[in-house]
Amino acid sequence: MTTDLNVPSENLEKLASNLTRLEELTQRLVQAVSQKRTPNPAVEAPGMGLFTHAVTAYWKEAMENPGKLIEQQATLWGKTLKHYIDAQHALASGKFTAPDDDTPTDRRFSNPLWKTHPYFNFVKQQYFRNVEAMEMALSDIDDLEPHERKRVEHFAHQLMDMLAPTNFLATNPDALERAVETDGESLVKGLENLVHDIESNHGDFLVRLADPDAFVLGDNIGATEGAVVYRNRMIELIQYKATTEKVHATPIVIFPPWINKFYIMDLKPSNSLIKWIVDQGYTLFVVSWKNPDKSYADVGLDEYVEEGFIAAIEEAKKITGEKQVNAVGYCIAGTTLTLTQAVLAKRGDKSVKSATFFTTLTDFSDPGEVSVFLDDDFIDGIEEQVGRDGYLDKYFMARTFSFLRSNDLVYAPAIRNYMLGDKPPAFDLLYWNGDGTNLPAKMAVEYLRWICQANRLADGTIEICGETIGLKDVKIPLFAVACEADHIAPWKGSFNGIRQYGSKDKTFVVSQSGHIAGIINPPSKNKYGHYTNDTEMGEADDWLATATFHDGSWWPRWEAWMKPRAGKMIEARDLGDSKHPVLAPAPGTYVTETPII
């Protein structure tokens, strides 16, 4: 049986059922959103003073030079009107085709209908006209300082990205086609995904990037064999089981960032940096950080240095019977390894034989894209938030870094999950990216105020563990890896910090790709190359211009550098010792904890 519209009745029944489910899910969504924490506008967006100044400067320019503004608007209006007339002419002539389209190539608009369908093409072209108008307006504001201009441009582009027609059902052909094909089922699944994400984040909106059920720590990710051999309130120290009969005497201790979890270096055997290091014949220890709750509110950088870094180094020495270790710090842990080594140097402690730094910033005079979040309007808001909560919730960090790449990490996944109704992919890297950690209140404020804003580490005026220290206090051999396309720790910023260290033995490498892929770049993939230069570290651009490019991963180059600093070969060690019994198999217990707040 069919209706007069020749639509099978079962399809209409399915559509009606789906519409009913949408109404039910909408009520559940309202309930989920009502659970959102008390909003703090200061951590949600930049202070209004930024835009007030920009708007004032714009209108000042318009009043002083109105002809320029009128000329710009007339040009844009002319393009808009011509486009409208062209579209109307095509329809009037009976051709259901779009007019000429000179808009830029953009993968958000990959559906052929954006080029061929008059409606979607009209919407797309008008969107790019609006972006063009915004960019012209921004470029004509003269009364802005460079950093202020950078912030205005960043947040203005964030606004335009948010308003892209692809982000709305009525102007997204992919979502509309899927909804029709599935009789609305895709929209039901999408709304179910949205409600689930908001419920999981206690009313906050954070797009799920990967299938949460696809991975189990210790099973199909983070599964390299090892054991927790030491634990305190800050860290679990994991020792990995040797895979070679002999190992170098001097152990390696890796400190991952505590704003993420350590298993980024151990996603699966084929790309595990941890397994690769063990397979080269090294005794390897890796720190797994505690995921703090409000009881850690008074834990600051001093505690991270003493109870985290120095404790791990001392326990690794006791277990192996060695007087020194080779230490590795990744991102913020590289910054804090710098603090640690400077403190040890002031104390005359030679426990660290060499230091390796992955994507590490220590001079924040130019921190790159993240600088737009380092002004007082945001930091004051964070200080207020952590003062109230006792910790910086992982939600704020995840959102901040996601919006540095909003089209890739916010809007594209949101379209996939919520408009198309697809299940998030089983992608280990994105699973890790969504498995965030909290930060103690005191540490977060100290790091942001002292190191990021005041740049006291680079200036040599920061006081840690009772010692006033700076970059020049680090004098041990060092190997640093920065990443060419890193938007979190830009390579030039890393370069500018490393060149100020007091070490005479420095090796600096620039890897292709970004903050993660440039580091987790196994030789077997032969994917990204790297640059080296044996000349003195002068200006970053000059260094790269005269650098030598090498195909393939930097890992073997680092291992060749590490080998002569790793001591003689000895029999492979067991896990722990009589005073350091196995407390838990790797990846340990801290990495799986989700604090009850």
Side-chain angles (χ1 to χ4, degrees):
M1 177 180 177
T2 61
T3 68
D4 293 338
L5 296 175
N6 294 320
V7 178
S9 59
E10 58 267 23
N11 289 54
L12 291 175
E13 291 171 2
K14 182 180 178 182
L15 178 60
S17 174
N18 284 331
L19 290 173
T20 300
R21 291 169 64 192
L22 284 173
E23 292 179 3
E24 294 170 352
L25 284 167
T26 300
Q27 295 176 3
R28 186 173 152 197
L29 177 63
V30 171
Q31 178 63 28
V33 172
S34 70
Q35 304 303 312
K36 179 177 173 62
R37 74 191 83 204
T38 303
N40 179 357
V43 296
E44 301 290 338
M48 287 306 299
L50 175 70
F51 297 113
T52 300
H53 189 186
V55 171
T56 301
Y58 178 79
W59 282 113
K60 178 176 179 289
E61 177 71 18
M63 294 298 291
E64 292 177 353
N65 190 3
K68 185 177 181 180
L69 176 63
I70 293 171
E71 180 184 357
Q72 287 179 353
Q73 291 300 311
T75 300
L76 290 167
W77 291 346
K79 291 180 179 179
T80 298
L81 183 59
K82 182 179 184 303
H83 177 216
Y84 176 75
I85 292 173
D86 288 345
Q88 289 290 90
H89 178 73
L91 290 173
S93 64
K95 298 178 181 177
F96 196 73
T97 58
D100 292 339
D101 184 353
D102 61 353
T103 55
T105 301
D106 188 316
R107 61 182 177 180
R108 290 176 294 177
F109 300 91
S110 58
N111 188 305
L113 290 177
W114 288 114
K115 284 186 174 294
T116 61
H117 194 289
Y119 166 70
F120 291 113
N121 181 263
F122 183 81
V123 168
K124 181 187 78 165
Q125 290 206 41
Q126 290 310 305
Y127 169 70
F128 280 110
R129 300 279 180 259
N130 291 334
V131 172
E132 181 184 5
M134 179 203 69
E135 291 175 341
M136 290 176 64
L138 291 174
S139 67
D140 285 335
I141 302 176
D142 293 329
D143 192 21
L144 289 178
E145 295 296 326
H147 176 65
E148 195 172 31
R149 176 180 296 280
K150 182 177 182 179
R151 296 191 83 212
V152 171
E153 290 177 347
H154 173 85
F155 291 112
H157 279 103
Q158 287 290 336
L159 178 63
M160 294 308 296
D161 287 343
M162 181 181 70
L163 295 175
T166 48
N167 296 335
F168 301 91
L169 177 63
T171 50
N172 186 315
D174 294 299
L176 291 171
E177 287 178 330
R178 179 72 62 85
V180 171
E181 291 169 359
T182 63
D183 298 310
E185 181 73 17
S186 60
L187 299 180
V188 173
K189 290 181 178 179
L191 192 52
E192 286 176 342
N193 290 341
L194 176 60
V195 170
H196 183 267
D197 285 356
I198 291 179
E199 287 177 340
S200 298
N201 288 289
H202 310 290
D204 288 317
F205 174 69
L206 196 62
V207 184
R208 191 180 300 276
L209 299 178
D211 181 359
D213 301 320
F215 301 99
V216 178
L217 273 171
D219 182 5
N220 56 356
I221 54 173
T224 299
E225 187 174 0
V228 175
V229 292
Y230 173 78
R231 179 187 293 129
N232 65 18
R233 68 170 182 154
M234 299 293 294
I235 66 168
E236 286 186 332
L237 184 64
I238 301 171
Q239 181 183 355
Y240 285 90
K241 184 177 180 180
T243 58
T244 55
E245 292 183 1
K246 292 185 177 295
V247 296
H248 291 277
T250 305
I252 295 175
V253 182
I254 295 182
F255 296 94
W258 56 88
I259 59 176
N260 301 112
K261 296 184 178 179
F262 81 90
Y263 65 89
I264 184 59
M265 296 178 287
D266 191 32
L267 292 177
K268 53 179 176 263
S270 62
N271 66 356
S272 170
L273 177 59
I274 287 173
K275 184 179 186 304
W276 186 86
I277 292 172
V278 172
D279 287 346
Q280 307 315 302
Y282 292 89
T283 300
L284 178 64
F285 295 88
V286 176
V287 165
S288 176
W289 296 98
K290 178 74 173 181
N291 192 357
D293 57 21
K294 60 186 177 182
S295 69
Y296 281 70
D298 293 329
V299 169
L301 287 172
D302 281 3
E303 287 74 22
Y304 272 86
V305 169
E306 290 281 14
E307 300 178 45
F309 285 75
I310 293 177
I313 290 167
E314 287 302 311
E315 299 307 319
K317 286 165 54 183
K318 291 175 184 177
I319 292 170
T320 60
E322 295 295 314
K323 294 182 179 179
Q324 291 183 303
V325 306
N326 290 309
V328 180
Y330 195 158
C331 190
I332 189 176
T335 309
T336 314
L337 177 59
T338 303
L339 300 176
T340 302
Q341 182 51 38
V343 167
L344 292 176
K346 285 294 183 78
R347 295 175 178 177
D349 188 325
K350 299 182 179 180
S351 293
V352 179
K353 183 184 287 188
S354 76
T356 299
F357 301 96
F358 298 160
T359 63
T360 295
L361 280 181
T362 50
D363 182 345
F364 280 78
S365 57
D366 183 12
E369 292 182 48
V370 76
S371 66
V372 300
F373 296 104
L374 296 179
D375 282 63
D376 278 339
D377 50 1
F378 273 111
I379 306 303
D380 289 348
I382 288 174
E383 191 164 8
E384 177 189 342
Q385 188 77 39
V386 300
R388 185 169 65 203
D389 298 340
Y391 65 99
L392 182 63
D393 193 290
K394 63 182 181 180
Y395 161 76
F396 296 109
M397 294 294 294
R399 188 188 59 186
T400 297
F401 287 117
S402 290
F403 272 95
L404 288 176
R405 290 290 181 271
S406 57
N407 284 327
D408 294 330
L409 296 178
V410 179
Y411 302 123
I415 291 168
R416 177 196 65 216
N417 296 359
Y418 309 144
M419 283 200 226
L420 299 178
D422 288 338
K423 189 175 183 180
F427 188 2
D428 53 4
L429 176 59
L430 292 180
Y431 176 89
W432 166 85
N433 190 74
D435 188 16
T437 57
N438 303 325
L439 303 181
K442 185 179 180 181
M443 187 286 303
V445 173
E446 287 178 347
Y447 186 80
L448 291 170
R449 293 291 192 199
W450 297 353
I451 296 178
C452 298
Q453 280 195 317
N455 208 21
R456 288 169 57 185
L457 175 56
D459 291 345
T461 59
I462 191 169
E463 185 173 320
I464 298 293
C465 301
E467 306 286 351
T468 301
I469 57 174
L471 301 180
K472 294 187 182 302
D473 294 315
V474 179
K475 298 179 179 179
I476 59 175
L478 64 86
F479 189 104
V481 185
C483 298
E484 190 175 21
D486 195 333
H487 65 286
I488 296 173
W491 79 267
K492 290 183 182 180
S494 179
F495 181 96
N496 291 334
I498 295 296
R499 71 177 177 180
Q500 297 176 57
Y501 285 50
S503 307
K504 294 182 180 179
D505 180 358
K506 300 178 188 176
T507 299
F508 191 82
V509 173
V510 173
S511 174
Q512 290 183 310
S513 197
H515 193 71
I516 300 301
I519 298 299
I520 309 304
N521 180 27
S524 60
K525 301 291 186 182
N526 196 30
K527 193 169 185 181
Y528 300 117
H530 60 281
Y531 298 88
T532 63
N533 194 331
D534 294 331
T535 62
E536 188 173 343
M537 296 177 71
E539 295 299 320
D541 287 331
D542 294 339
W543 184 93
L544 188 62
T546 58
T548 302
F549 177 76
H550 308 272
D551 288 322
S553 173
W554 56 268
W555 292 10
R557 184 174 302 279
W558 173 69
E559 198 275 326
W561 180 89
M562 180 65 68
K563 188 175 295 184
R565 297 168 175 83
K568 63 182 180 180
M569 301 301 291
I570 62 172
E571 294 296 321
R573 299 176 170 108
D574 294 329
L575 299 179
D577 62 16
S578 59
K579 295 183 179 179
H580 296 81
V582 169
L583 303 177
T589 60
Y590 281 1
V591 74
T592 61
E593 289 181 346
T594 300
I596 299 176
I597 305 302

